[in-house]
Amino acid sequence: MIRNFWLGVHRPGVTRYQPSVADTTVRAFLAEGRGRLWLRGPSGSGKTSLRFEHAPDVRRAGRLCGELHLLGHSSSVPAETRRLTFAVELSRSLGLEQLPWKDLLATCVRERAVVFVDEVSSLRDRHPTGPIRPDDEPLLELAEAGVDLILLTMDEPEALGWPRELPVTPIWKEDLDAAAVAALVAPLARSEELAAEVMAQVGGNPVLLQRVCVMLLKRPASSLADVVAELTTDLDPFLIEIEWSVRTGLGDPEARQAWIRAIGAWEALVESGPPDSESPAVDTLRRLGLLRPGAPLSAPPCGLFLSRFDRGWCRRIRETA
Amino acid sequence: MKSACSDPHFAEYCPDCYQSRPEHERLIEQWLELTPLVAWVVGSQGRGKTRLLEWVLRDRHPVVVHCGLLGRFRREGDFYSHVLGQLGQRSITGDSLFDLRELARRDGALLLVVRDFHFLHPGLRRELMASFKGLRESREINIQIVGETRGHPGAGSASHVTSVRSLDEAEVERWGEHYRVAWRPDEARNVHRQTGGIPALVALYLEHRHMNTARPQLMDAWTRYVHDVKEQLRDRNQYELVERFKADRSTPGDVSELDALGVVDARTGRWACELYEMYL
């Protein structure tokens, strides 16, 4: 019986990782791929969990493997300083003694090192004015030197000012089909019907899938409706995080108008169904995770979001913005 | 009890005077088992954020950053440079965040208390929330950040947050028992009505009651507290929100902001306490 599993939430040693198509893509890249693998998913979609899952395996297999988290680096220092600190972090992460930057790049290429890079979207804050240049961004320099990179991002590379790239793999658990979800909730009665209902409520969102399944398993007497009601009215950290992202955006004078448009687009969707065409507002909703990345616009958002972020919520957030 | 903290502002608290908030204390103690950690205590003015943290962290040697003093700071580099300064260090590489990470790696545990986060410039708050998230997810760094703020800290913060609120009537009564107050009939109810259960105002009442001081002295202490709140609102150009509320011209946004400031209860649309209604 599966009682503990994890999707999108880092709990190594505590809960079980639930693989998806993105994991298969990562394994294929690690086995044969060269260059860069872009994995795109909104906040809470399991990017960091994927890094935590695979990086130790790569090291155990004897391959040089590094992990970089771009948010841990200051966004407001000169390129030369960034290169210096980047080299220290990367050398340490690879388990190498500290090398000069050029030597480090050469070693990475020669040894076929692979580097997981988390929070690549923070490049947008670091280079707000336009395309990234290698002499201004050590990560791009690393890429252009031919180091194998697995880049975890919320945005398309082009939106970050990164040169055009190969297709980006979305991280989402759409591929986690009803049978797999039924296996997760197998101890419960009507598990197959329940699995379909769970998928309609969570829409493949990894964090919500975990939350709902764990709550159902812990309290078998509760119905799915009870669980959804509890998640939408209680202080669930993931749902609060989405609300705070919106409030943070609305509180930022530079981003405020874009966020107001995004709330308007969500309200229109809640009232009259999916939008007809892509727009920057729709893109904001995708980054936030309210709309599924990579899915057609006609795909309905998850029921739980529609319950939690309903018309009343849209009205309140607009009034208090 | 003498505090072990080097920061003179991280005042020592007498165990006889501290009013326990057990549910919050337990939660924060549990969080402090984790590294790296980024945790938040959220609550309006006077709800006891500072006292709670000072009590829980009294023997842990925190580095304390008073954001109210950093109003001119705009970039995260300024903030981390200030933190390094608190530790008696300077940036070696020119990237203060990197240097702080290195320091935490080399010297072991670093506990940082970020007080009054809401006073920082919004752009800086956003940058810091992003870098805090980076620190939280870098598994090898032995750093803990515990912040206190009035409104929501911002995106990237939700996993470890506790909200301290005003006391209900039963809690006011319990606090009185801590001061060995023999409550008179309806006394606790009246105190709750006047103070709205705002812990700072309740504590003032109990201290005066304990010392058997005369009523005018208590009123003087209460009005001075409210006056301080008023001055702070004026200093930050927020008093016009209060004026609009008094004139019954508040927008829902005003009420929400006044709620975050702890002056109004947005659920009822009323003043947070009678003392604010009378003296603010």
Side-chain angles (χ1 to χ4, degrees):
Chain A
M1 180 167 58
I2 299 170
R3 282 232 171 259
N4 294 310
F5 53 94
W6 58 287
L7 295 162
V9 179
H10 167 51
R11 298 271 171 80
V14 179
T15 46
R16 212 186 92 175
Y17 184 74
Q18 187 69 34
S20 74
V21 161
D23 298 83
T24 314
T25 311
V26 169
R27 285 201 188 87
F29 178 79
L30 291 169
E32 301 159 13
R34 297 303 306 259
R36 292 169 292 285
L37 173 66
W38 284 83
L39 296 166
R40 182 191 179 204
S43 174
S45 60
K47 300 183 293 295
T48 302
S49 300
L50 189 138
R51 166 166 72 92
F52 289 160
E53 175 68 9
H54 290 278
D57 286 348
V58 179
R59 291 196 188 98
R60 272 194 291 274
R63 187 169 173 188
L64 213 51
C65 175
E67 291 176 72
L68 289 171
H69 194 291
L70 295 192
L71 283 181
H73 295 255
S74 183
S75 57
S76 54
V77 294
E80 201 50 46
T81 305
R82 206 178 305 137
R83 190 173 289 114
L84 170 74
T85 58
F86 207 84
V88 174
E89 294 271 0
L90 182 57
S91 304
R92 180 184 292 122
S93 174
L94 290 165
L96 300 172
E97 61 182 79
Q98 204 170 321
L99 295 168
W101 179 239
K102 295 288 177 198
D103 294 347
L104 179 61
L105 292 183
T107 305
C108 286
V109 174
R110 190 178 62 245
E111 300 289 329
R112 272 207 70 200
V114 62
V115 183
F116 288 81
V117 189
D118 211 338
E119 299 288 357
V120 177
S121 288
S122 65
L123 288 175
R124 201 211 285 259
D125 296 329
R126 201 178 293 175
H127 306 278
T129 52
I132 303 172
R133 298 189 321 273
D135 59 349
D136 198 30
E137 177 50 59
L139 180 61
L140 185 54
E141 211 177 338
L142 205 64
E144 297 210 334
V147 179
D148 294 341
L149 300 175
I150 296 177
L151 298 129
L152 304 160
T153 174
M154 293 188 347
D155 301 274
E156 291 288 346
E158 288 83 356
L160 302 172
W162 191 279
R164 184 162 285 279
E165 282 284 356
L166 293 168
V168 174
T169 305
I171 297 187
W172 205 245
K173 308 287 174 180
E174 296 286 9
D175 52 302
L176 202 65
D177 59 16
V181 178
L184 294 175
V185 292
L188 302 172
R190 306 169 39 242
S191 61
E192 284 180 16
E193 291 163 55
L194 187 61
E197 292 166 21
V198 167
M199 284 303 276
Q201 282 296 335
V202 304
N205 180 294
V207 176
L208 292 179
L209 180 59
Q210 164 161 283
R211 292 270 203 286
V212 168
C213 290
V214 167
M215 284 170 78
L216 283 170
L217 291 165
K218 275 187 179 167
R219 282 171 283 171
S222 299
S223 69
L224 178 60
D226 294 338
V227 165
V228 168
E230 190 173 332
L231 273 171
T232 51
T233 53
D234 209 357
L235 295 175
D236 179 74
F238 179 68
L239 296 171
I240 292 176
E241 189 63 48
I242 291 181
E243 173 149 355
W244 283 359
S245 294
V246 174
R247 289 190 182 277
T248 302
L250 287 168
D252 177 358
E254 288 171 23
R256 184 180 158 81
Q257 286 308 318
W259 279 96
I260 287 175
R261 282 192 290 275
I263 296 303
W266 177 255
E267 192 170 15
L269 183 151
V270 171
E271 283 181 5
S272 47
D276 298 328
S277 57
E278 295 284 347
S279 66
V282 167
D283 193 49
T284 301
L285 296 177
R286 287 194 200 281
R287 292 184 85 242
L288 197 58
L290 287 177
L291 290 180
R292 303 178 201 184
L297 275 176
S298 56
C302 71
L304 220 145
F305 284 151
L306 289 172
S307 308
R308 175 69 171 77
F309 306 112
D310 59 5
R311 288 168 68 177
W313 178 83
C314 293
R315 195 183 62 245
R316 276 196 306 280
I317 206 112
R318 251 202 335 271
E319 284 171 352
T320 58
Chain B
M1 183 178 289
K2 183 81 178 163
S3 167
C5 177
S6 59
D7 182 347
H9 299 289
F10 207 76
E12 54 194 63
Y13 272 96
C14 168
D16 291 336
C17 298
Y18 174 71
Q19 305 289 335
S20 183
R21 313 286 293 264
E23 71 280 28
H24 299 296
E25 289 165 25
R26 271 197 301 274
L27 202 57
I28 298 168
E29 294 280 3
Q30 282 171 17
W31 292 343
L32 289 166
E33 301 289 318
L34 308 169
T35 51
L37 168 74
V38 180
W40 294 97
V41 178
V42 179
S44 311
Q45 185 170 10
R47 267 56 174 188
K49 303 182 294 297
T50 305
R51 285 206 170 214
L52 173 68
L53 279 185
E54 286 177 346
W55 179 253
V56 176
L57 305 178
R58 63 195 180 281
D59 294 323
R60 291 180 182 259
H61 309 277
V63 173
V64 185
V65 177
H66 297 266
C67 297
L69 306 174
L70 310 182
R72 66 193 161 80
F73 285 7
R74 290 291 180 273
R75 303 308 304 259
E76 61 178 359
D78 301 330
F79 178 89
Y80 289 114
S81 179
H82 178 78
V83 175
L84 282 176
Q86 296 282 87
L87 289 160
Q89 305 282 332
R90 290 177 60 190
S91 177
I92 299 165
T93 62
D95 182 344
S96 301
L97 171 55
F98 174 83
D99 292 323
L100 188 68
R101 290 161 60 106
E102 290 298 294
L103 198 68
R105 276 199 184 96
R106 196 184 64 220
D107 293 355
L110 171 63
L111 173 58
L112 180 64
V113 173
V114 181
R115 189 178 276 180
D116 294 330
F117 188 67
H118 48 272
F119 284 149
L120 292 178
H121 185 269
L124 174 56
R125 286 207 303 264
R126 203 177 60 248
E127 278 191 12
L128 287 174
M129 288 313 301
S131 62
F132 287 173
K133 186 179 177 202
L135 291 170
R136 195 176 66 197
E137 290 179 3
S138 59
R139 288 170 290 179
E140 80 284 14
I141 298 176
N142 197 356
I143 192 165
Q144 296 177 310
I145 298 172
V146 184
E148 53 168 87
T149 183
R150 289 186 190 163
H152 71 89
S157 59
S159 52
H160 294 107
V161 179
T162 186
S163 297
V164 282
R165 297 191 175 86
S166 297
L167 309 174
D168 60 26
E169 207 177 299
E171 286 171 310
V172 170
E173 209 166 316
R174 185 170 61 78
W175 278 33
E177 284 157 12
H178 183 88
Y179 274 89
R180 297 182 186 84
V181 167
W183 289 109
R184 293 183 287 263
D186 288 337
E187 185 183 4
R189 179 178 304 163
N190 287 335
V191 172
H192 184 261
R193 198 193 64 241
Q194 286 173 299
T195 62
I198 295 172
L201 291 169
V202 174
L204 278 177
Y205 177 86
L206 292 172
E207 280 160 22
H208 280 76
R209 177 77 155 73
H210 183 67
M211 304 285 283
N212 271 327
T213 50
R215 181 81 183 174
Q217 282 171 285
L218 167 66
M219 288 312 294
D220 186 47
W222 268 352
T223 51
R224 263 190 286 123
Y225 180 89
V226 179
H227 183 73
D228 282 350
V229 172
K230 194 172 183 173
E231 286 302 301
Q232 284 187 34
L233 291 168
R234 283 205 168 114
D235 285 350
R236 299 183 188 282
N237 298 321
Q238 290 164 321
Y239 193 68
E240 59 189 53
L241 293 169
V242 175
E243 287 173 330
R244 283 205 292 273
F245 189 76
K246 282 179 170 175
D248 211 13
R249 288 190 288 107
S250 290
T251 64
D254 289 347
V255 173
S256 172
E257 205 167 332
L258 286 167
D259 183 83
L261 291 165
V263 171
V264 163
D265 184 342
R267 287 170 304 173
T268 59
R270 293 183 180 163
W271 292 97
C273 66
E274 278 188 6
L275 289 165
Y276 283 175
E277 187 175 3
M278 287 191 287
Y279 300 112
L280 206 56

